[in-house]
Amino acid sequence: MAATVAVVRCETYETGAVHAAVGRALDLLGGAGTIVAPGERILLKPNLLVPSRPEDAVTTHPAVFEATIRHLLDAGALLSFGDSPAFGGTEVAARRAGLTAVAEKLGVGLEVFREGRAVPFPEGRLIKRFEIADQVLEADGLISLPKLKTHALTRLTCAVKNQFGCVPGMRKGEFHAKMSDIRRFAQMLVDLNRLIAPRLAIVDAIVGMEGNGPRGGDPRAVGLIIASRDMVAADAVAASVIDLPLELVETCVIGHEWGLGEAYDIRVVGEPIDAVRVEGFSANRSRASTTPGPRPHQALMKRWMTPRPTIRAERCTRCGTCVTMCPVSPKAVDWHDGDRSGPPSYRYERCIRCYCCQEMCPERAIDVHTPLASRLFRR
Ligand code: SF4
Ligand code: SF4
């Protein structure tokens, strides 16, 4: 059966305009009352990747957060919100993003995803047991509030990827270390979404992030609210809007294959995609895989063929975040003999290309480059 995705124009974060756009998106999906029931405890999951200001386009904008809260409160839901940022702490991130001020005004509590419980998931195709934040398990339902951004590993971070924050704290780094190629990482995300089963995604695509996302890229006006009950369909539409080929978005391809959602048979309600497509949106459209070739050759191929992180020395402030975040042991990015007078350096033979360093660098000092050998080979 076709999945339905609502696409509504909204070119400003002015509170009234966003309230109207989110309301129209909900109406196109049948109304908030068809998604939540009075008295249900609904957990909102915005993107709070790191402490960052709304204008940086890293986190879900407070105007989208506020509009969603108001519509769901009108439908009678009991709301809270939470996340587990990769770096910097939930309270700090929520305050910096402007969400705390909104939540306090509207009486919505913040949940810090610090602790979790192991949840058996025998239906998992790859992962049979997840550790999930207690608050996610205790809620009657979860509504995802992602931001449309580029991502070095998954190409797109949007509705499916947003649930990774339901895995508390450092457990996320363990997944990066174990799922060292994009296909397995995407499979893990799909299993995670199959377990959590979010009821709805409302995507903040008013201003997205292009280029060196999900933290170090550039804000880019997209002018849309995208909403769906189907995480895969929401991401497929988001990818189409920024002209990112669907076959490059593994979470959509695998999400479709594994029955999480529908990537192809989609009924778009509201604006037709062709009318809202953003031309020239900068994203990783390289077809270089992180797992090319047969297994014995993978280490070599990974070293020479897959996009690699590099540090722009002139931007590096020697903060050490990349070293801290690198999930492999021994570290693949580290100080040279402990010397912090220069930037850290890479040992690419150890690097699993998870791009956590690039994702977390606060100075936008880490780029991801496709090696020349890969570009020549794939021409
Ligand atoms: S995180 Fe960025 S700024 Fe900090 S040491 Fe690494 S490259 Fe330099
Ligand atoms: S150096 Fe960066 S990309 Fe490589 S394993 Fe460490 S965090 Fe991941």
Side-chain angles (χ1 to χ4, degrees):
M1 197 174 96
T4 303
V5 178
V7 177
V8 177
R9 278 189 204 270
C10 187
E11 288 166 1
T12 165
Y13 281 115
E14 189 273 319
T15 309
V18 179
H19 187 267
V22 170
R24 169 136 172 81
L26 289 167
D27 287 345
L28 287 167
L29 297 176
T34 66
I35 296 159
V36 299
E40 277 193 310
R41 293 165 306 146
I42 300 297
L43 182 65
L44 303 176
K45 165 64 182 73
N47 184 330
L48 285 175
L49 178 69
V50 290
S52 188
R53 302 165 307 163
E55 54 269 35
D56 296 330
V58 172
T59 50
T60 306
H61 196 279
V64 175
F65 183 62
E66 176 165 352
T68 304
I69 290 174
R70 288 189 184 277
H71 286 292
L72 295 177
L73 288 177
D74 287 348
L78 305 174
L79 300 177
S80 59
F81 78 108
D83 198 358
S84 169
F87 201 78
T90 311
E91 293 98 332
V92 178
R95 195 163 291 282
R96 186 83 56 86
L99 303 196
T100 302
V102 171
E104 287 176 350
K105 178 172 70 177
L106 298 175
V108 174
L110 170 63
E111 303 286 359
V112 178
F113 296 174
R114 198 170 285 124
E115 305 295 331
R117 272 184 307 214
V119 183
F121 186 47
E123 301 87 351
R125 298 278 295 267
L126 179 70
I127 308 291
K128 303 288 185 190
R129 204 177 79 129
F130 279 100
E131 186 164 333
I132 304 288
D134 292 333
Q135 299 91 339
V136 175
L137 299 172
E138 286 155 13
D140 294 322
L142 182 138
I143 290 181
S144 191
L145 302 179
K147 183 94 173 164
L148 190 164
K149 297 185 290 179
T150 51
H151 195 281
L153 181 63
T154 57
R155 315 298 177 99
L156 173 76
T157 170
C158 197
V160 172
K161 174 77 168 51
N162 194 40
Q163 274 61 259
F164 195 37
C166 297
V167 175
M170 296 311 286
R171 293 274 175 253
K172 289 195 279 294
E174 291 172 18
F175 276 120
H176 275 296
K178 284 183 199 153
M179 313 290 143
S180 63
D181 63 73
I182 171 57
R183 192 157 179 87
R184 279 168 63 81
F185 191 72
Q187 288 172 338
M188 178 277 294
L189 287 174
V190 167
D191 267 347
L192 178 65
N193 275 264
R194 290 173 64 225
L195 172 62
I196 294 174
R199 287 193 190 183
L200 176 74
I202 299 177
V203 181
D204 172 8
I206 297 174
V207 176
M209 176 177 282
E210 66 176 350
N212 197 24
R215 183 184 190 180
D218 300 306
R220 175 77 189 265
V222 177
L224 296 175
I225 292 290
I226 299 170
S228 181
R229 290 179 167 87
D230 183 321
M231 303 299 112
V232 175
D235 281 3
V237 166
S240 185
V241 165
I242 62 170
D243 212 11
L244 185 63
L246 199 55
E247 67 268 22
L248 296 181
V249 185
E250 292 275 12
T251 46
C252 281
V253 174
I254 295 161
H256 182 88
E257 282 172 17
W258 288 11
L260 171 65
E262 177 59 57
Y264 307 104
D265 186 8
I266 296 172
R267 186 172 70 101
V268 174
V269 290
E271 300 290 338
I273 293 176
D274 285 345
V276 296
R277 187 166 285 118
V278 179
E279 300 296 331
F281 195 95
S282 170
N284 174 12
R285 294 180 174 81
S286 157
R287 287 172 195 273
S289 159
T290 51
T291 53
R295 193 166 276 278
H297 301 153
Q298 281 182 11
L300 202 60
M301 296 293 274
K302 182 170 274 191
R303 186 167 181 189
W304 294 109
M305 302 292 282
T306 58
R308 54 170 61 170
T310 57
I311 293 175
R312 280 200 251 174
E314 73 280 7
R315 282 197 172 183
C316 175
T317 57
R318 331 284 198 250
C319 72
T321 302
C322 53
V323 177
T324 304
M325 295 307 296
C326 180
V328 300
S329 178
K331 301 276 184 186
V333 58
D334 209 345
W335 308 104
H336 186 65
D337 289 335
D339 176 10
R340 295 179 76 128
S341 63
S345 51
Y346 284 98
R347 298 279 301 270
Y348 289 116
E349 73 279 13
R350 293 179 187 161
C351 175
I352 60 172
R353 309 300 202 263
C354 67
Y355 309 116
C356 291
C357 50
Q358 175 264 351
E359 186 170 339
M360 287 298 116
C361 174
E363 305 299 336
R364 302 165 49 146
I366 301 180
D367 295 323
V368 174
H369 289 291
T370 303
L372 181 63
S374 177
R375 279 181 270 145
L376 294 173
F377 181 74
R378 288 169 197 279
R379 270 220 296 231

